[in-house]
Amino acid sequence: MLENPKVNIKVKLSSLWASLIALYIYGDYFDLYTPNKVPNLLDGKSMLDSPTKLFLAALMLAVPSLMIALSVLLKPKLNRVLNLIFGVFLTLVVILVGSTSISAWHSFYVFYAILEALVTLLIVYLAWNWPKEKHS
């Protein structure tokens, strides 16, 4: 029998945030291969066509990046709250963005949106069910 050691909740959450970032990166990377994407980016025709939109996107993507470390470093109470808040928020964002990307060329994006939603929902589930201390 192989040993299956118990994994700390903080490590689980941190791993899920890292997985989420990888899904975001790959989804955006593959999007570069869709027709007219690169020429439109070079011409300034994209969703992020203003400094404000670019900053908001950077801010939104900074959250899961920071949550990788914060999930390990923060004390349980604040950790749980932030994982719940950001997990729910990013689930809603990915559902809204993913549902607008339905086309033959963007089926991969819908696939990634589903995976991203599942990961953020798992983050919420684990944070909601954060293990309680056992008092003797």
Side-chain angles (χ1 to χ4, degrees), residues 37-91:
K37 183 65 170 195
V38 173
N40 285 340
L41 284 172
L42 294 173
D43 290 339
K45 299 172 189 168
S46 74
M47 271 179 39
L48 306 175
D49 59 359
S50 75
T52 302
K53 289 178 185 176
L54 205 50
F55 177 76
L56 290 173
L59 187 63
M60 190 182 92
L61 290 175
V63 169
S65 299
L66 292 172
M67 287 305 294
I68 296 168
L70 293 177
S71 292
V72 173
L73 300 173
L74 292 176
K75 293 190 185 278
K77 199 171 216 173
L78 179 58
N79 201 336
R80 180 176 187 251
V81 169
L82 290 180
N83 273 282
L84 287 169
I85 290 170
F86 294 136
V88 168
F89 173 73
L90 290 173
T91 300

Side-chain angles (χ1 to χ4, degrees), residues 4-134:
N4 187 19
K6 185 173 168 75
V7 178
N8 185 290
I9 184 71
K10 290 181 170 191
V11 173
K12 289 179 184 179
L13 291 167
S14 180
S15 298
L16 288 167
W17 285 111
S19 296
L20 184 65
I21 286 294
L23 291 169
Y24 285 164
I25 290 169
Y26 280 117
D28 289 342
Y29 174 75
F30 291 138
D31 191 37
L32 294 173
Y33 289 92
T34 59
N36 299 318
K37 183 65 170 195
V38 173
N40 285 340
L41 284 172
L42 294 173
D43 290 339
K45 299 172 189 168
S46 74
M47 271 179 39
L48 306 175
D49 59 359
S50 75
T52 302
K53 289 178 185 176
L54 205 50
F55 177 76
L56 290 173
L59 187 63
M60 190 182 92
L61 290 175
V63 169
S65 299
L66 292 172
M67 287 305 294
I68 296 168
L70 293 177
S71 292
V72 173
L73 300 173
L74 292 176
K75 293 190 185 278
K77 199 171 216 173
L78 179 58
N79 201 336
R80 180 176 187 251
V81 169
L82 290 180
N83 273 282
L84 287 169
I85 290 170
F86 294 136
V88 168
F89 173 73
L90 290 173
T91 300
L92 295 174
V93 167
V94 79
I95 288 170
L96 292 172
V97 172
S99 65
T100 63
S101 301
I102 300 173
S103 75
W105 272 103
H106 287 96
S107 57
F108 74 92
Y109 222 71
V110 174
F111 170 70
Y112 274 104
I114 291 167
L115 291 178
E116 292 162 5
L118 290 174
V119 169
T120 52
L121 287 171
L122 185 53
I123 288 168
V124 170
Y125 174 80
L126 290 174
W128 183 262
N129 294 295
W130 193 288
K132 307 286 189 253
E133 277 188 352
K134 293 179 181 116

